[in-house]
Amino acid sequence: MPSSSAPQLIMVGSIGLDNIRTPAATRENLLGGSASYAAAAASFFTSAGLVGVVGTDFPRRHETLWRRLGINLRGLQRVRGKTFRWSGEYEQNMDHRRTLDLQLNVFADFQPKLPQTYRAAPFLFLANISPELQLRVLDQMTAPRFVMADTMDCWIQQAREGLEEVIRRVDLLTLNESEARLLTGETSLLAAARQILRRGPAQVIIKRGENGSVLFSDIAGIALMPAYPLESVVDPTGAGDTFAGGFIGRLAAAGRVTAVELRRAMLYGNILASFGVEAFSLDRLAQLDGRQIADRIRAFRRMCRQP
Ligand code: AMP
């Protein structure tokens, strides 16, 4: 998708360098961060503008990759200091991971200032980062038509007040199943989703790792999305962000939020995430094209056909 001077979709979230240990391999200084994965996935469908900050140690080649994907970087700041860093380790089954280290670095005092061309964008994705920062970006938008937010356990535990405000102000909240239980105190995912829907958003997506995801929506009802079966998962890091980016990118491309488009966006998010985990970092997304996406969508539809 070509970079546009007035992107349809704006995203803020972490942009960082990851150290990742899986049972099969260890990799260091990989391009990562929630917004980085999400923007790459969305770029296949719409013009996306990235809001975030990197330090002087951030390799230029990563910006080159985003540009090649057509991502608008006007909202990206480069400041003196170190880039956000995260280290994580996966257990044997790849569905459980431990955070070994997290350094906010330049994100600690990041003051986002949205370029004029970003403020009127109709779609906004607040990818995983502190709720305070998500709100600072939301406040600068003039009248977004659809706002989606992601979060994680550390913000549920440490930034509850800000997170509650985010939840009140967005149209869709996405989180994984353990986070949904942590946030609501409910064991049943349906009960958790209903509680979240009562707090403000008309949609909630609960991600279930290799078990897929579920959309609960006032408009579209409940939509179950199984994960695309893969023989080998190389690195699940960023799967949720890639799903979310593909989802909102597809919705932004459709330009309207209807039951059909929400369900279609689930499908595209799901397929994008399946590609993302086939390699470390953004390596697989960087090689992806529209034909491969279309082929996998077709194969997945065949797998889901009911008698
Ligand atoms: P996911 O696997 O979807 O949870 O996304 C993992 C990505 O999120 C990694 O590339 C990390 O750099 C980034 N990340 C990890 N922890 C945080 C955090 N607390 N806030 C923002 N981004 C994070």
Side-chain angles (χ1 to χ4, degrees):
M1 195 46 66
S3 168
S4 148
S5 54
Q8 278 288 106
L9 168 64
I10 303 305
M11 11 186 106
V12 63
S14 59
I15 296 168
L17 298 172
D18 292 346
N19 293 337
I20 294 168
R21 205 179 301 153
T22 70
T26 298
R27 294 289 167 84
E28 300 202 327
N29 294 316
L30 297 172
L31 172 60
S34 56
S36 168
Y37 281 104
S43 73
F44 290 95
F45 309 114
T46 193
S47 52
L50 190 57
V51 177
V53 62
V54 296
T56 32
D57 57 349
F58 190 73
R60 291 273 177 197
R61 66 174 187 282
H62 298 330
E63 285 180 44
T64 309
L65 168 63
W66 288 328
R67 278 208 185 85
R68 186 169 69 69
L69 289 169
I71 298 166
N72 184 308
L73 300 182
R74 282 224 187 135
L76 182 72
Q77 295 177 27
R78 181 183 280 268
V79 303
R80 195 179 294 276
K82 281 199 199 157
T83 300
F84 173 95
R85 282 187 170 268
W86 176 79
S87 304
E89 178 179 38
Y90 288 89
E91 289 174 13
Q92 197 60 41
N93 73 1
M94 300 283 252
D95 232 16
H96 284 106
R97 100 174 161 209
R98 267 185 331 129
T99 289
L100 302 174
D101 186 38
L102 184 130
Q103 296 166 26
L104 284 179
N105 295 331
V106 290
F107 261 100
D109 12 65
F110 175 46
Q111 300 291 337
K113 190 165 177 336
L114 265 57
Q116 262 326 316
T117 50
Y118 280 25
R119 294 176 188 234
F123 289 80
L124 173 66
F125 179 41
L126 306 170
N128 178 31
I129 195 70
S130 73
E132 188 195 337
L133 193 49
Q134 292 178 321
L135 290 169
R136 260 190 255 147
V137 170
L138 181 53
D139 285 340
Q140 292 177 53
M141 299 293 289
T142 40
R145 208 184 311 153
F146 189 85
V147 184
M148 168 171 173
D150 193 1
T151 193
M152 75 184 295
D153 50 3
C154 69
W155 311 121
I156 298 172
Q157 283 155 337
Q158 296 159 26
R160 193 57 175 248
E161 212 176 301
L163 178 60
E164 294 291 352
E165 189 181 340
V166 169
I167 294 172
R168 273 195 301 278
R169 292 177 58 186
V170 301
D171 301 285
L172 189 157
L173 180 72
T174 169
L175 70 186
N176 68 34
E177 56 182 323
S178 62
E179 292 157 357
R181 292 190 173 112
L182 182 68
L183 178 68
T184 61
E186 299 281 2
T187 324
S188 146
L189 288 189
L190 179 58
R194 290 212 165 123
Q195 193 195 118
I196 295 169
L197 293 175
R198 281 197 296 275
R199 295 184 195 188
Q203 271 75 228
V204 55
I205 293 176
I206 300 188
K207 296 168 287 182
R208 309 184 58 224
E210 62 179 359
N211 297 314
S213 53
V214 191
L215 167 74
F216 299 87
S217 162
D218 289 351
I219 308 169
I222 298 178
L224 303 174
M225 188 56 64
Y228 185 84
L230 292 170
E231 251 178 68
S232 115
V233 170
V234 173
D235 175 19
T237 308
D241 311 311
T242 309
F243 173 91
F247 174 93
I248 193 154
R250 177 63 222 202
L251 202 59
R256 53 184 189 278
V257 182
T258 60
V260 169
E261 294 302 346
L262 284 166
R263 283 169 177 257
R264 192 170 286 142
M266 286 286 282
L267 172 62
Y268 278 79
N270 193 41
I271 294 304
L272 262 286
S274 76
F275 283 113
V277 301
E278 287 182 331
F280 279 97
S281 183
L282 271 62
D283 292 1
R284 182 68 183 92
L285 297 178
Q287 302 301 323
L288 193 59
D289 61 39
R291 195 187 47 79
Q292 294 169 4
I293 297 172
D295 286 349
R296 195 169 279 190
I297 294 265
R298 225 173 289 120
F300 183 77
R301 282 192 164 128
R302 273 197 302 273
M303 289 174 198
C304 294
R305 226 173 8 226
Q306 308 287 335

